[in-house]
Amino acid sequence: MRSPFTHFIIALAVGAAAFIGYGVWYATVSAKSTEVAQAQAQITTATESVSRIMAARAALSEIAGDEAKIRGYFVSEAGVVAFINSLESLGLSQKAPVTILSVSAGSSYAHPTLLLSLSIKGTFDAVMRTVGAIEYAPYAVSVSTLSVGQDAKNSWHADLGLIVGSVPPAAATSTP
């Protein structure tokens, strides 16, 4: 039989080996835990970044519709002819023909504009209804000058100067 001292030495060696094994295992698990925490932080950062990107895309798609609505209130350089035709049809619907005297690009304002000069002829009521319809048309229109005169007993004319909001050609063709 072995002596109690030998048992003590063996128990101490097994205990020391277990303690050292526990320490090595603890260090390994701790290192892996740190790596996992760093990986989780990177995943969280990437997830938040993706969430912000998705929110920005959703906001841009919502804004694109609003941008198209707002852009509809302005006349692009390519849409001048259609705008003039709409002014003439407004006059015809009110039984007061509209004649476009001049069209030019405005340069004295902070934003691009079109300067239009037009003449409206007809009865006083028809002329004034046409002026009102043009003034309240769904465009960024400002009346710069207005003069009304009588040509004959029941024949009137209005000379009208308009400042129409415009968009540059690049903005008019932008896509969301």
Side-chain angles (χ1 to χ4, degrees):
M1 224 146 147
R2 295 185 185 166
S3 70
F5 183 69
T6 307
H7 285 281
F8 176 71
I9 295 294
I10 292 173
L12 187 63
V14 170
F19 185 71
I20 291 171
Y22 176 77
V24 169
W25 188 253
Y26 181 81
T28 303
V29 169
S30 178
K32 292 296 180 186
S33 178
T34 303
E35 289 177 19
V36 167
Q38 289 173 347
Q40 182 62 39
Q42 291 174 349
I43 290 170
T44 302
T45 303
T47 303
E48 289 172 354
S49 177
V50 167
S51 296
R52 284 192 300 270
I53 290 170
M54 289 173 55
R57 283 185 180 164
L60 285 176
S61 66
E62 288 176 18
I63 290 172
D66 294 341
E67 178 185 9
K69 284 180 188 176
I70 296 298
R71 195 179 310 134
Y73 290 105
F74 296 93
V75 179
S76 68
E77 290 179 14
V80 172
V81 174
F83 178 69
I84 289 172
N85 289 338
S86 71
L87 291 178
E88 290 173 344
S89 68
L90 267 173
L92 289 177
S93 69
Q94 300 295 330
K95 296 184 177 46
V98 175
T99 306
I100 306 300
L101 302 176
S102 70
V103 178
S104 62
S107 60
S108 62
Y109 298 97
H111 301 286
T113 58
L114 297 172
L115 305 174
L116 278 86
S117 177
L118 46 100
S119 178
I120 305 168
K121 295 188 183 216
T123 64
F124 182 78
D125 186 45
V127 167
M128 294 314 290
R129 279 186 286 135
T130 303
V131 169
I134 291 172
E135 184 178 11
Y136 293 109
Y139 291 100
V141 175
S142 297
V143 176
S144 61
T145 60
L146 173 64
S147 65
V148 179
Q150 187 174 16
D151 294 333
K153 182 177 180 182
N154 204 11
S155 178
W156 291 76
H157 73 275
D159 294 323
L160 190 61
L162 298 177
I163 300 171
V164 182
S166 180
V167 289
T173 60
S174 69
T175 58

